[in-house]
């Protein structure tokens, strides 16, 4: 007998887009075999989906595996049953974030929220993003110092000018922010984010 | 407007115009100028949201809306779109897919666009810039512009994970690709340069660019696979089609213990070299991993082709 909260969890996962074939999985393991991140996952896509089907939802809920998915869609192409594991991973992430548990994933969720906030803030403000700013703002002072060898490479090859590098460094990347030239179009993007981006800070 | 009356415009994305992919645009602009086939930017294009904004509720809707806004601008300018970056390519196709299949989101986005008197034509075509070169300009015309056939240069094609995947977004595309796991598009392009195109076991395997910021050991492991494979085939260079892949492969070679460092070039840059454009005009002076071994080899074959006395030994410089 599968318990009621298992059925509820299965229904919740399958309420997200493109997850309708979850139950069609035949456990062949081709997804995990083709996944480039599977070495860094505790279970891999096959076992995660198996866990949802057989009711081991506690393990599935606590796993960091959905955050290792890089959305390369190799699993989707190879799956003989069209299960689309990428969307199931994305659904599991959303469930963990919106329910704000479990405790084990708090650090991971916090870091992802931080990156998402940096992205969304830039788009809201300027309509476009700057990779320099995103990297500096996400890594912070200490993290950026660890990537100093890359910074040096960028400087020595002229990919970034010394003047700009100093500006970006001193302002934590704020000076790197880029803008859409047309102010009306920029404002339209701001209105779009205010209406559709409901994730909050 | 009926779709055969639309013009084609270029959606560059944030990396190509302001970020780590500026060398791609330098080479693209100069090569297209030489080929007399320039293409204009989509006016007022906005960010596609990249991979991060698609994940969470509130983020998913915003990313579809951002893409739909770009498509609305394309509708307004009566344009179909060629996209330079594979990630933007995927996001725009994804926006079109969800805009057309999710009725609730469709209605909300339409309502938002109405405020500015805009709408989306559901059949705006979205193609990758590689197809602009292959099909619009045409491989025959490109072949005529080659000044140094690269015979003897071993090129390893790396098309990346988002050029053909996911399958479900590409169903309506006109220029539909040969095979989602082993697409032949880049091979055909490189064949026109007369280069020795090596086999590629990692042609569409992910390079991990999306997780470089959050967990770079994953990306390092993926990059290691690609470089080992290219080294096994003795490649003189790896050719990419996406600026994210290019920057990732180019800038992180010092973090991985490699047998030999390999020059990384975009497809526009290797084309420019075969058309005898100077490296600076192709943005190649800002490559992080040195491309000297490749340039030396090209110089050598150029001298051989012109019957000049060759001043270069077979020994290639390793870093």
């Amino acid at each position: 007998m599968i318990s009621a909260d298992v059925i509820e969890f299965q229904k919740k996962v399958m309420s997200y887009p493109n997850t309708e074939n979850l139950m069609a999985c035949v456990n062949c393991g081709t997804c995990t075999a083709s996944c480039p991140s599977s070495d860094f996952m505790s279970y891999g896509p096959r076992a995660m989906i198996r866990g949802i089907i057989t009711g081991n939802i506690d393990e599935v809920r606590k796993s960091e595996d959905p955050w290792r998915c890089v959305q390369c869609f190799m699993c989707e192409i190879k799956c003989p049953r069209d299960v689309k594991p990428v969307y199931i991973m994305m659904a599991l992430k959303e469930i963990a974030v919106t329910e704000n548990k479990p405790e084990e994933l708090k650090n991971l969720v916090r870091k992802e929220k931080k990156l998402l906030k940096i992205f969304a803030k830039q788009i809201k403000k300027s309509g476009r993003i700057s990779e320099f700013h995103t990297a500096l703002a996400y890594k912070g002072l200490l993290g950026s110092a660890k990537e100093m060898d890359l910074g040096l490479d960028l400087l020595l090859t002229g990919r970034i000018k010394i003047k700009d590098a100093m500006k970006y460094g001193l302002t934590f990347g704020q000076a790197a922010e880029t803008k859409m030239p047309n102010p009306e179009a920029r404002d339209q993007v701001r209105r779009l984010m205010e209406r559709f981006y409901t994730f909050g800070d | 407007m009926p779709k055969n009356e639309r013009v084609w415009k270029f959606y560059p994305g944030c990396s190509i115009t302001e970020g780590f992919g500026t060398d791609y645009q330098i080479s693209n602009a100069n090569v297209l100028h030489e080929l007399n086939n320039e293409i204009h930017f989509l006016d007022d294009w906005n960010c596609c949201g990249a991979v991060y904004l698609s994940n969470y509720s509130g983020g998913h809707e915003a990313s579809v809306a951002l893409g739909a806004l770009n498509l609305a601008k394309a509708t307004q300018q009566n344009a179909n779109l060629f996209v330079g970056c594979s990630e933007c390519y995927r996001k725009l196709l994804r926006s079109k897919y969800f805009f057309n299949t999710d009725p609730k989101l469709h209605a909300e986005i339409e309502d938002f666009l109405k405020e500015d008197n805009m709408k989306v034509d559901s059949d705006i075509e979205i193609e990758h810039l590689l197809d602009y070169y292959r099909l619009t300009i045409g491989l025959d015309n490109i072949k005529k512009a080659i000044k140094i056939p690269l015979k003897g240069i071993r090129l390893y094609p790396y098309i990346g994970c988002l050029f053909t995947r996911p399958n479900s977004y590409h169903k309506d595309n006109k220029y539909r690709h040969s095979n989602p796991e082993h697409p032949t598009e880049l091979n055909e392009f490189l064949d026109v340069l007369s280069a020795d195109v090596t086999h590629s076991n990692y042609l569409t395997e992910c390079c991990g660019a999306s997780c470089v910021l959050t967990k770079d050991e994953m990306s390092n492991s993926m990059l290691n696979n690609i470089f080992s494979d290219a080294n096994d085939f003795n490649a003189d260079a790896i050719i990419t089609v996406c600026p994210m892949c290019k920057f990732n492969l180019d800038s992180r070679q010092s973090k991985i213990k490699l047998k030999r460092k390999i020059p990384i070039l975009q497809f526009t840059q290797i084309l420019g070299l075969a058309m005898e454009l100077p490296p600076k005009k192709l943005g190649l002076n800002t490559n992080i991993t040195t491309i000297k071994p490749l340039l030396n080899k090209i110089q050598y074959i150029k001298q051989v082709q012109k019957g000049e006395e060759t001043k270069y030994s077979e020994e290639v410089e390793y870093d």
Side-chain angles (χ1 to χ4, degrees):
Chain A
M1 266 298 276
I2 289 204
S3 67
D5 48 309
V6 168
I7 295 188
E8 197 193 307
F9 184 72
Q10 290 171 346
K11 280 209 185 111
K12 190 180 289 188
V13 171
M14 290 176 70
S15 68
Y16 288 92
N18 283 343
T19 54
E20 59 272 348
N21 290 342
L22 192 157
M23 294 296 179
C25 172
V26 291
N27 210 23
C28 73
T30 304
C31 51
T32 300
S34 60
C35 175
S37 322
S38 59
D39 286 340
F40 296 89
M41 292 184 173
S42 338
Y43 300 113
R46 178 202 64 80
M48 291 289 275
I49 292 170
R50 194 79 191 139
I52 299 174
I53 294 177
T54 58
N56 278 337
I57 58 174
D58 288 329
E59 302 273 354
V60 167
R61 276 198 139 111
K62 282 191 295 195
S63 171
E64 291 190 359
D65 289 0
W67 277 267
R68 301 284 178 261
C69 172
V70 288
Q71 298 182 28
C72 74
F73 291 94
M74 193 60 113
C75 52
E76 180 171 312
I77 280 288
K78 298 215 189 233
C79 176
R81 303 283 284 167
D82 203 22
V83 172
K84 300 193 173 67
V86 175
Y87 288 100
I88 296 171
M89 290 296 185
M90 287 183 3
L92 289 173
K93 273 202 279 192
E94 291 200 33
I95 293 173
V97 166
T98 50
E99 291 185 353
N100 213 22
K101 49 180 166 191
E103 198 58 44
E104 289 90 338
L105 299 178
K106 267 211 152 61
N107 219 16
L108 203 54
V109 169
R110 184 184 56 82
K111 282 207 307 195
E112 291 269 330
K113 278 191 188 180
K114 178 180 174 189
L115 185 54
L116 196 61
K117 189 168 149 187
I118 292 171
F119 247 83
K121 200 163 156 205
Q122 283 186 76
I123 297 182
K124 205 169 181 176
K125 189 166 154 195
S126 20
R128 296 178 190 168
I129 58 153
S130 155
E131 291 169 303
F132 287 110
H133 170 68
T134 305
L136 283 169
Y138 179 74
K139 291 277 182 186
L141 192 57
L142 207 57
S144 305
K146 282 198 202 142
E147 300 274 341
M148 217 55 253
D149 51 348
L150 176 60
L152 215 61
D153 276 335
L154 290 171
L155 274 176
L156 291 173
T157 56
R159 181 66 69 110
I160 170 176
K161 309 260 185 334
I162 292 189
K163 211 172 41 149
D164 291 334
M166 289 189 64
K167 233 185 354 176
Y168 299 167
L170 291 172
T171 62
F172 287 105
Q174 297 271 350
E177 283 182 358
T178 183
K179 272 215 263 275
M180 276 171 80
N182 181 345
E184 282 167 11
R186 216 186 310 149
D187 190 67
Q188 185 184 30
V189 176
R190 183 192 56 80
R191 277 185 286 123
L192 183 153
M193 292 297 280
E194 279 182 357
R195 177 162 174 173
F196 288 95
Y197 182 69
T198 54
F199 191 55
D201 292 326
Chain B
M1 269 283 176
K3 60 177 160 191
N4 51 9
E5 288 189 23
R6 290 202 199 111
V7 299
W8 285 88
K9 284 197 170 179
F10 180 41
Y11 176 90
C14 307
S15 176
I16 292 176
T17 47
E18 304 276 348
F20 293 130
T22 45
D23 58 333
Y24 181 14
Q25 178 52 16
I26 294 173
S27 60
N28 186 33
N30 283 323
V31 167
L32 289 180
H33 181 73
E34 276 296 308
L35 293 172
N36 261 323
N37 239 306
E38 281 157 338
I39 188 172
H40 298 290
F41 283 6
L42 178 70
D43 292 327
D44 294 330
W45 62 270
N46 54 273
C47 182
C48 71
V51 74
Y52 303 109
L53 218 60
S54 59
N55 291 336
Y56 303 105
S57 33
H60 167 68
E61 283 85 4
S63 79
V64 176
L66 283 171
L69 182 56
N70 278 314
L71 296 178
K73 288 168 183 168
T75 307
Q76 213 176 39
Q77 297 170 38
N78 199 29
N80 289 319
L81 294 177
F82 277 111
V83 186
C85 164
S86 297
E87 175 60 32
C88 301
Y89 177 55
R90 170 183 82 120
K91 287 312 289 290
L92 288 176
L93 285 171
R94 181 180 191 275
S95 293
K96 182 174 163 185
Y97 173 81
F98 280 110
F99 182 74
N100 286 340
T101 58
D102 183 341
K104 190 163 155 248
L105 198 48
H106 181 110
E108 269 223 60
I109 293 176
E110 268 195 340
D111 188 61
F112 170 78
L113 292 171
K114 252 195 246 162
E115 289 171 19
D116 295 281
N117 279 322
M118 294 170 88
K119 66 173 183 63
V120 177
D121 274 345
S122 61
D123 59 352
I124 295 273
E125 293 178 42
I126 304 166
E127 305 289 352
H128 195 285
L129 190 67
L130 179 63
D131 289 327
Y132 180 64
Y133 281 79
R134 281 181 57 243
L135 298 167
T136 307
I137 300 179
L139 291 177
D140 297 329
N141 287 330
I142 291 182
K143 195 161 182 109
K144 289 186 203 148
I146 305 291
K147 298 218 178 93
I148 313 176
L150 299 178
K151 186 144 182 60
I153 308 285
R154 298 176 65 77
L155 299 179
Y156 181 92
Y158 177 69
I159 222 173
C161 63
L162 297 174
F163 185 75
T164 56
R165 299 198 295 268
N167 233 358
S168 40
Y169 300 164
H170 294 189
K171 287 206 175 82
D172 302 323
N173 273 27
K174 183 167 74 182
Y175 295 152
R176 205 48 267 132
H177 298 130
S178 42
N179 181 319
E181 285 178 72
H182 284 97
T184 55
E185 278 72 16
L186 185 54
N187 288 49
E188 288 167 15
F189 179 84
L190 295 177
D191 281 340
V192 161
L193 308 181
S194 305
D196 295 349
V197 182
T198 70
H199 183 60
S200 169
N201 290 317
Y202 285 84
L203 182 67
T204 60
E205 295 278 344
C206 186
C207 72
S210 62
C211 60
V212 160
L213 274 185
T214 48
K215 199 168 179 66
D216 61 344
E217 52 261 39
M218 273 174 49
S219 179
N220 287 345
S221 131
M222 297 177 197
L223 287 174
N224 201 18
N225 291 333
I226 300 168
F227 288 128
S228 304
D229 200 41
N231 263 325
D232 285 345
F233 289 109
N234 249 322
D236 293 313
I238 298 179
I239 308 299
T240 56
V241 306
C242 169
M244 315 259 75
C245 294
K246 173 170 194 282
F247 184 70
N248 198 23
L249 268 76
D250 190 25
S251 64
R252 300 191 75 84
Q253 293 196 29
S254 47
K255 303 230 183 238
I256 310 170
K257 226 163 66 170
L258 286 176
K259 215 166 48 171
R260 164 180 79 101
K261 288 196 180 171
I262 307 181
I264 314 289
L265 275 80
Q266 274 287 71
F267 69 98
T268 46
Q269 294 176 317
I270 192 71
L271 173 58
L273 285 179
M275 289 165 62
E276 218 171 352
L277 288 171
K280 200 151 185 202
K281 265 196 151 177
L282 301 170
L284 285 171
N285 52 323
T286 60
N287 261 32
I288 294 181
T289 303
T290 179
I291 59 166
K292 270 223 200 81
L294 176 69
L295 292 181
N296 278 345
K297 201 163 178 185
I298 294 182
Q299 184 69 11
Y300 173 69
I301 61 169
K302 179 173 153 189
Q303 289 166 340
V304 167
Q305 281 168 17
K306 297 201 170 153
E308 290 169 13
E309 194 182 300
T310 55
K311 306 173 199 134
Y312 164 73
S313 77
E314 289 281 343
E315 296 233 313
V316 184
E317 296 171 356
Y318 291 141
D319 267 16

